[in-house]
Amino acid sequence: MSIESTNPATGDVIETYDETDASERDERLERAQAAFEEWRDVPIETRQRLLVDASDVLRENTEKYAELMTREMGKPIEQARAEVEKCAWVCDYYGEHAAEFLQDEVVAGDPNARTVVAHQPLGPILAIMPWNFPFWQVFRFAAPNLAAGNVGLLKHASNVPGCARAIEAIFRETGFPEDVFTTLLIDSSEIEAVIEDDRIQGVTLTGSDGAGRAVAETAGSKLKKTVLELGGSDPFVVLEDAPMDETVETAVQARLLNSGQSCIAAKRFIVVEDVYEEFVDRFVAEMDEQTVGDPLDEETDIGPQARPDLLDQLHEQVQETVEQGGEIRLGSERMDREGTFYPPTVLTAVPENAPADQEELFGPVATVFRVPDEEAAIEKANDTRFGLGASVWTDDLERGERVAREFDSGLAFVNELVKSDPRLPFGGVKDSGYGRELARDGIREFVNTKAIWVQ
Ligand code: NDP
């Protein structure tokens, strides 16, 4: 069996890769287990130094990795370069902080005993990753886990096998011991067997809630821990005192980053009555200015959608929303050109329970809701089964922070687009998943927090 990598901008096959067959999969798991037994005893300072070396390899080859991502999944090239830099940042970050995050904590307990909390690695961790940030999602997992002494097995999305192979090669080139980070080129139907394998100690998945549920069910039946970073339908709340120039400019970026294919993209724009007309007019005008085109062209703002089926799904969600009464302010027609392109689209007057109201729209489609006031805005923001990110725009920072605390979300930003940052925990509530990545919380997800009592 083989896996094809296809350029979504042209439909051309880039390369065909052999799938990892059952016996090779078993061998890789065995080697990962053996690698763990040694890796866990390597001093954390050495593991940290290797991560810093990995950041050098990333930066030295930025153009190569950026082009690989852009060709495989269509990300605009400038954003692909920024993604490589962010991967280098997360390697540097854990390269600097891992030991501090995992150091023993001496606890004042029984006066006759020394009581310590230690954080020890668990073993081989399976990472099931998506195509939308094909480098970042993987490094966000790998940097803290390799630093903690775990080893990683990557099952990457089937449309980015080249990225999967390149990431494995980066760790090897950097000098990480072989098998500390391994790629399995397998179909998602084969994941169940891997999760169930006794050598796997934990599973992390970033992707759709459907995939998350399937993985959690299998892992749960084997009592294995999972971290799930699933979709989102982030609200972007505009209050009457929002700084409008900055708000509109950021609203466009927040919706269109990665051609609209981001879990933390702003998807539902919730605007209070007083500034609704002004916001919609300016937002639509700005969205209309964005250039759709070849993602390798520096001028392109919106590249192709990553796969034809994802484009079909997005268009169906838009059509269904319009059939239910949603109004089209911009876009919404499929583009008459080669490749999986979709135009920037703005919908208004979207009825409750229409797809654009309740589902995740993974593409350059914004939905704008009109609400009477702040209270109604918060209610609308929370009226979703997702709870990943949320933002609020206001001139009053105290008010902004108060509203931020009322969002049912794992991330809440005031006057800034929702973004991931290695220094802050990242993850969601409700159907957006559970567990946290990044920061101190992220490195402590797959460790054994062990209480040691010495008397
Ligand atoms: P999926 O959730 O299907 O894919 C994400 C990863 O999970 C891939 O590696 C995929 O492998 C794997 N996977 C898929 N099904 C299963 C399963 N049953 N058990 C275990 N692993 C599985 O996302 P899609 O790429 O199909 O995108 C669909 C929608 O998901 C998007 O429109 C978007 O709404 C959401 N999504 C959210 C992301 C986020 O960042 N939170 C990222 C990507 C998608 P394979 O590729 O081989 O199927």
Side-chain angles (χ1 to χ4, degrees), residues 128-133 137 155-159 186-188 191-192 195 205-212 214-215 229-232 261-264 307 309-310 313 360-362 388:
I128 304 166
M129 290 293 148
W131 44 265
N132 58 341
F133 293 93
Q137 313 270 26
K155 185 285 184 256
H156 217 327
S158 297
N159 55 331
I186 56 173
D187 188 79
S188 52
I191 295 178
E192 194 173 317
I195 297 173
L205 175 135
T206 300
S208 61
D209 58 307
V215 163
E229 200 272 271
L230 310 176
Q261 304 163 113
S262 167
C263 50
I264 46 169
R307 295 193 315 248
D309 64 301
L310 294 166
Q313 182 188 324
E360 176 171 39
L361 265 58
F362 222 57
L388 191 53

